[in-house]
Amino acid sequence: MLVDKKKLEKLAHTAKISLEEKAFADRIEADLHNILEFVAEINEVDTSEVDVMEHSQSETLRTRDDAVTESNLREEMQKDIPDSYHADGLYLVPKVVE
Amino acid sequence: MHTKTIEQLIQGLRAKEYSSVELTQHFLDRIAKHDPAINTVITLTAEQALQEAAAADKIIGSKDAPNLTGIPILHKDIFCTQGVKTSCASKMLDNFIAPYDATVVSKLRNAGTISMGKLNMDEFAMGASNETSFYGASKNPWDLECVPGGSSGGSAAAMAARLAAGSTGTDTGGSTRQPAAFCGITGLKPTYGLVSRWGMIAYASSLDQGGPMAISSECCAHLLQAMAGFDPKDSTSVQHEIPDYLADIKRPIKGLKIGLPKEFFTEKLDTNIAKVIDTAIKELEKLGAVIKEVSLPNIHLAIPTYYIIAPAECSSNLSRFDGVRYGYRCDDAKDLVDFYERTRSEGFGTEVKRRILIGTYVLSSTSFESYYRKAQKVRKLIANEYLNAFKEVDIIASPTAPEVAFKLGAKNTNPVDMYLRDIYTSSVNLAGIPAVSIPAGFVNNLPVGLQLIGNFFAESTILNAAHQYQLVTDWHQQVPTAFV
């Protein structure tokens, strides 16, 4: 297997995906193996003389002027989210520091 | 009214044969009657649409009225719509009300269109059958036991059922073209950078591109005219002069050079599909096109390359969904790690989680060079092969999909089997070039799509060939019996 249990647990932890749901955990190891085996076909071609292509437009990505274009949108951004997500303009999450 | 093209509807509105309110109500009535069978609409904004239509009626015929004033459309639920639920067909965004409009949405509104609501799709645009949607799959109007294709399956099925004058879709590996083929409509994937991605929820940012889906090439030209254009808010948007697509598609295609990649026309191609495509190519030849064989030697590596690059970008893009600021949030988290993990595990469906994990794997330090960097190099090879082919021909033609629409549930057991559906489409996204799928016939009473691929910013060329073909054929005018 290209991805064993230990590797899978590390990947899942990195991606913050839980493996607790049994139906998902049972099939994902085999799925990942099959997909990775399938995509490994790209190794059959020699690319030693080829540059990487990060996206299809060759021009350098633009930067914009360092100018203020929008005012504070906090109230607008929090208008339609559930009340339990925020208080006094701040987002609420489980306690991080004991 | 619902079988008319956008051009015919524009003329009808201007001649006061019907008002935009009447036209919009007509489509809303059709949605009420037909959508329960095909499950294409996630959110309907009927009241808002009728208000916009009433406002449109006041200016139709005046000098100030933009070209598409009063034309009712539907948006794929991947485009943010201010004040309206934008779910991406995921439980993760089931409670998300977008605080702003995507550029595509605002440009189409500025062009005068009326938005009637939001359309079903594969979750976060990851799928080729619409079956990964949190809201259940859309069905194919040609056979309700078949998939409409994906990921823009709702857009394609809604158009096949004539529920709107046009719709929007997005295409990362074939997601406007393959469902267009399965549902017998016309779907365009524009050149990367032509249509703004701002407000279009990201799946794989170097591949994603929004495009129009409608009855005909001419309808798509109308919608693209409104959607295309530079957007300073999208750093990959390209400054490119937008041609007059409507004028360009009217040119005769005598002398147009069409290439057929020998790697696409092998004994592996289904003989019935091959027959339909062959007849369509002959039709284009009758119109004056010159047919030539071309070669794309590494095209068979497009799907493996795609399924490294797209999941890598997906794993990065979807890291933003953490339950903190918006979207789904799990109950009773015991700490922050538990909060993130359960929010994401409960909020995302299986295919999305699968792609996130694949992406995390290929980006990990031990796999980065052998998978991700290698894939970026193979991507370059494939793109170069297309550019070489375009030195010899103006357009490349192929089937859009290797088969007609398959039965719901038929390909759910093996993800790789589903990925192979993108065989004729994903290389176009890797290269960043445009392609359109048009209806070209039927196999087993299900539509077959012909794909026409163009060079960078050659939307006029492919829409032109598609339009000229549609002037002498009527495949695009066929409507499934139950939806006439």
Side-chain angles (χ1 to χ4, degrees), chain A residues 31-94:
Chain A
D31 281 353
L32 293 191
H33 176 80
N34 290 339
I35 295 165
L36 290 168
E37 198 174 54
F38 167 68
V39 299
E41 194 186 350
I42 61 167
N43 289 310
E44 73 176 43
V45 62
D46 177 16
T47 51
S48 51
E49 304 293 318
V50 186
D51 291 335
V52 298
M53 178 172 171
E54 286 173 341
H55 75 119
S56 63
Q57 301 298 337
S58 52
E59 58 199 81
T60 315
L61 292 181
R62 277 175 297 106
T63 53
R64 59 176 174 81
D65 292 338
D66 188 15
V68 177
T69 55
E70 282 163 348
S71 56
N72 186 0
L73 298 171
R74 183 163 70 177
E75 274 177 36
E76 210 171 312
M77 293 297 142
Q78 293 182 338
K79 187 165 58 95
D80 290 317
I81 62 172
D83 289 343
S84 60
Y85 286 27
H86 63 114
D88 304 323
L90 304 175
Y91 293 100
L92 301 173
V93 293

Side-chain angles (χ1 to χ4, degrees), chain A residues 20, chain B residues 330-343:
Chain A
E20 273 177 33
Chain B
C330 72
D331 289 329
D332 304 322
K334 60 178 191 286
D335 55 34
L336 199 57
V337 171
D338 184 49
F339 175 90
Y340 290 145
E341 287 191 347
R342 281 206 293 114
T343 290

Side-chain angles (χ1 to χ4, degrees), chain B residues 142-143 146 270 272 276 404-405 441-448:
Chain B
W142 290 96
D143 181 343
C146 287
D270 177 277
N272 293 319
V276 169
V404 291
F442 289 84
V443 168
N444 301 331
N445 298 317
L446 289 164
V448 175

Side-chain angles (χ1 to χ4, degrees), chain B residues 126-261:
Chain B
M126 297 178 202
S129 68
N130 223 260
E131 293 166 289
T132 70
S133 168
F134 173 59
Y135 304 99
S138 290
K139 314 278 169 59
N140 191 317
W142 290 96
D143 181 343
L144 298 178
E145 289 181 9
C146 287
V147 303
S151 68
S152 310
S155 307
M159 291 315 305
R162 303 299 191 260
L163 302 186
S167 66
T168 53
T170 61
D171 193 316
T172 305
S175 283
T176 58
R177 292 161 285 154
Q178 183 253 23
F182 278 16
C183 291
I185 64 135
T186 303
L188 174 74
K189 181 260 170 211
T191 303
Y192 184 80
L194 182 69
V195 171
S196 170
R197 294 184 299 106
W198 199 77
M200 189 177 106
I201 296 170
Y203 157 24
S205 304
S206 81
L207 304 166
D208 296 341
Q209 186 63 197
M213 301 174 74
I215 299 174
S216 70
S217 174
E218 186 197 55
C219 293
C220 285
H222 265 295
L223 295 169
L224 183 66
Q225 201 75 54
M227 293 165 78
F230 176 69
D231 180 9
K233 288 185 281 200
D234 171 1
S235 65
T236 57
S237 176
V238 176
Q239 306 232 23
H240 178 82
E241 195 176 335
I242 304 302
D244 183 342
Y245 297 115
L246 266 307
D248 288 351
I249 63 169
K250 297 193 174 88
R251 295 188 309 246
I253 59 165
K254 194 170 165 41
L256 184 82
K257 284 178 273 180
I258 299 182
L260 304 180

Side-chain angles (χ1 to χ4, degrees), chain B residues 381-400:
Chain B
L381 276 182
I382 292 168
N384 285 346
E385 286 174 4
Y386 267 114
L387 296 184
N388 280 335
F390 283 122
K391 286 178 189 158
E392 297 177 51
V393 295
D394 304 304
I395 280 182
I396 291 171
S398 78
T400 306

